[in-house]
Amino acid sequence: MKGMKADIKKPKHMKQFILKIFTSILVLSSGMYVQAQQPNQVFKAAGSPVNPKVTVTWNRYYDHAGISEICKKIAAAYPDLAKLQSIGKSYEGRDLWCLTITDFKKGNADTKPGMYIDGNIHSNEIQGAEFALYTAWYLTESFGDTKFIQELLEDKVFYIVPTINPDARDSYMHKPNTGSSPRSGVIPVDNDGDGLVNEDSYDDINKDGHITMMRRKNPNGRWKVDPKDPRNMIQVGPDEKGDYELLGIEGIDNDGDGRVNEDGYTFEYDPNRDWGWGWQPNYIQNGAYKYPFSLPENRAVMEFVMKHPNIAAAQSFHNAGGMILRGPGGQEDVGTYNAQDIAVYDAIAKKGEELIPGYKYLVVYKDLYSAYGGELDWFYAGRGIYTYSNELWTPFLMYMRDATRDPFDNASFSFDRYLLFQDAFVPWAEYDHPQYGKIEVGGMKKNFGRAHPGFLLESDAHRNMAFSIYHGFHTPKLEVFEITEKDLGDGLKEVTAVITNSRLMPTHSSQDVKNKIERPDYITLTTSGKIISGMVVENRDLNLSTEQEQNPATIEVANIPGLGSVTVKWIVQGGGKYTVSVDSKKGGTVSASK
């Protein structure tokens, strides 16, 4: 009590005490600080959750702690729709979170056809994490009033890993970097042999919080100020004198070796060259690390996928360029994609071009470059999973028309000026550089050029999410369409069953069938009679069948085609009621009785 009396005598403490009481009253009474609007104050916009349990602002980016918090909130708010687990640890010990999204009240999640989604394998390609996380949020928040989502999650399961490079994501966000680097992780590197690790990467020399560009006035320079926009630099023609020379990215030669920003980036491993298909060492494929799955993050994803053979489709999110990519990464693997699988890829990706304006469907090796040891190739060629990699963001989105992909052209500067109000640019300012003397520092911030501006982030996340849902929707959906019985005499019956697949994807891709990656589909007849014979019907009209000599009750089928069917039949002695059950690793389980 004495201490309390002493505090009351001090006006400063009394003001703090009163302020705390007043703040608590506001929070507990009106809820103004907890919820901006009451449910009866809002009107639902079509296609968007109206009163989400988990409120997330999708016009910004989140570091690993922020992603972790959102994942935990989704799992806590929707225990019947979302389960959260860590599928492994990053190099620095961060959790690789995975949200499993399905209707856990309907069926076994482990046997439903699965869709795997991840993002942010490259540290500077950050929005992939938000796009993946938006998908988990949208599925859970829309489930209550959207019949399509209810039916989707009854049939399918989504495995969503927002970031598979959390260490480098945090490094990119919280440390000095440019919009284009680093791509790798944070494994320590001492490239110059001076005993210091990563000490001469990017220096924020003027301490403004941004890594931009350096320029120096030079009457014989090859650059000049753009007359259309003084913030921009343009190269002069061969017969023209410039006013400036560009010195490169902001930085200092800290170790005195004559190079700026080189330590930690002379060799920059690429986690998308570390997968176990078509892997090549670094001297062939630049960026490869020690051996396939030598990085703990990639190894964790591989082990998760191997433990979930129900995954039939996959999506990874990168940036930038506005592309829907499929493999192969190298021309040597052209033969892994046959006509049947390409037809499935083409059908889904063409719909993607409709859903995501400005995005183009391309093949990596043919339309871009050769890349070996990529995630895209391992998922499809190694596991038989239909997989796309979307390169997020395209300058098309700035003015909804085709534009150059150069982030330093006039279209970008115009967009920054009139739509971002020059928030993406650091004005040129003089700086006395210890090596270069009097220079100027300025340029685009790292959050523009590859990353979406805030107001376009949610829109493009929604469209890419819709593409992923369309992709997941077309994983197999099986049905025991028909069970018929024919009396053969002498107490024998012929029982015929037709199993249909109403979606684009077969239960096994051609790559899967060719390499026997996954076991065949099982079609089982259960009856009180004795099953004498079981067979696969090749032509029902001509009565052409192939008998399975062993274990006739459970017929093994190599594949149930997309938008197709298979027919099987049994010869049964005695019995009456029949139950036909289908067990497919990627097609799920169904049964019917007659």
Side-chain angles (χ1 to χ4, degrees), residues 421-499:
F421 308 103
Q422 301 187 46
D423 182 48
F425 191 85
V426 177
W428 293 102
E430 287 190 352
Y431 178 77
D432 192 9
H433 195 282
Q435 276 99 29
Y436 298 136
K438 194 168 293 295
I439 65 169
E440 296 175 21
V441 180
M444 289 292 184
K445 299 176 184 178
K446 69 181 177 183
N447 63 359
F448 179 66
R450 297 180 70 99
H452 289 68
F455 79 97
L456 291 175
L457 186 63
E458 181 170 358
S459 172
D460 208 26
H462 187 92
R463 289 180 178 277
N464 276 270
M465 174 272 296
F467 173 64
S468 293
I469 287 179
Y470 183 79
H471 187 187
F473 173 82
H474 275 293
T475 58
K477 182 173 177 60
L478 306 181
E479 179 186 2
V480 181
F481 180 74
E482 176 187 336
I483 303 174
T484 58
E485 178 191 74
K486 179 181 178 182
D487 192 345
L488 300 178
D490 296 328
L492 297 177
K493 302 289 179 64
E494 180 184 87
V495 180
T496 301
V498 178
I499 315 302

Side-chain angles (χ1 to χ4, degrees), residues 367-378:
D367 298 311
L368 297 177
Y369 45 74
S370 291
Y372 302 100
E375 181 181 16
L376 192 64
D377 284 329
W378 180 78

Side-chain angles (χ1 to χ4, degrees), residues 326 334 337-347 361 380 386:
R326 72 159 173 88
V334 170
Y337 289 73
N338 72 2
Q340 177 189 345
D341 286 350
I342 291 174
V344 174
Y345 271 109
D346 289 352
Y361 171 44
Y380 171 72
Y386 293 96

Side-chain angles (χ1 to χ4, degrees), residues 112-118 156-160 304-305 308-316 344-345 348 375-376 379-380 383-389 467-476 504-507 509 512 585-587:
K112 295 179 182 180
M115 171 84 188
Y116 170 87
I117 303 172
D118 72 29
K156 314 293 184 183
V157 59
F158 289 78
Y159 303 108
I160 299 175
F304 179 82
V305 172
H308 292 80
N310 59 318
I311 295 174
Q315 173 71 55
S316 65
V344 174
Y345 271 109
I348 295 172
E375 181 181 16
L376 192 64
F379 264 82
Y380 171 72
R383 300 306 305 157
I385 298 168
Y386 293 96
T387 308
Y388 297 96
S389 176
F467 173 64
S468 293
I469 287 179
Y470 183 79
H471 187 187
F473 173 82
H474 275 293
T475 58
L504 284 170
M505 290 184 201
T507 54
S509 65
D512 184 347
K585 285 294 186 181
K586 287 181 168 56

Side-chain angles (χ1 to χ4, degrees), residues 63-82:
D63 66 5
H64 184 258
I67 288 172
S68 300
E69 183 176 339
I70 295 169
C71 287
K72 292 173 182 178
K73 286 181 177 179
I74 291 173
Y78 294 98
D80 294 329
L81 298 176

Side-chain angles (χ1 to χ4, degrees), residues 85-194:
Q85 65 175 311
S86 174
I87 66 171
K89 297 285 188 178
S90 68
Y91 182 86
E92 292 186 339
R94 291 176 175 85
D95 283 301
L96 301 174
W97 294 118
C98 175
L99 279 165
T100 300
I101 308 294
T102 190
D103 185 348
F104 285 97
K105 291 184 175 181
K106 303 285 181 67
N108 182 353
D110 292 335
T111 63
K112 295 179 182 180
M115 171 84 188
Y116 170 87
I117 303 172
D118 72 29
N120 193 207
I121 191 172
H122 292 135
S123 57
N124 65 315
E125 300 180 7
I126 54 176
Q127 64 266 59
E130 277 69 26
F131 281 38
L133 195 54
Y134 178 87
T135 305
W137 176 84
Y138 189 89
L139 287 171
T140 51
E141 295 291 352
S142 299
F143 181 85
D145 61 2
T146 307
K147 185 178 180 181
F148 175 85
I149 301 298
Q150 294 167 3
E151 294 174 348
L152 180 75
L153 295 186
E154 179 179 349
D155 290 343
K156 314 293 184 183
V157 59
F158 289 78
Y159 303 108
I160 299 175
V161 184
T163 174
I164 58 174
N165 195 350
D167 298 346
R169 178 184 183 85
D170 275 15
S171 177
Y172 169 80
M173 288 185 170
H174 296 303
K175 295 181 180 180
N177 282 297
T178 71
S180 297
S181 59
R183 283 166 57 86
S184 68
V186 292
I187 293 177
V189 177
D190 174 21
N191 287 312
D192 51 22
D194 63 357

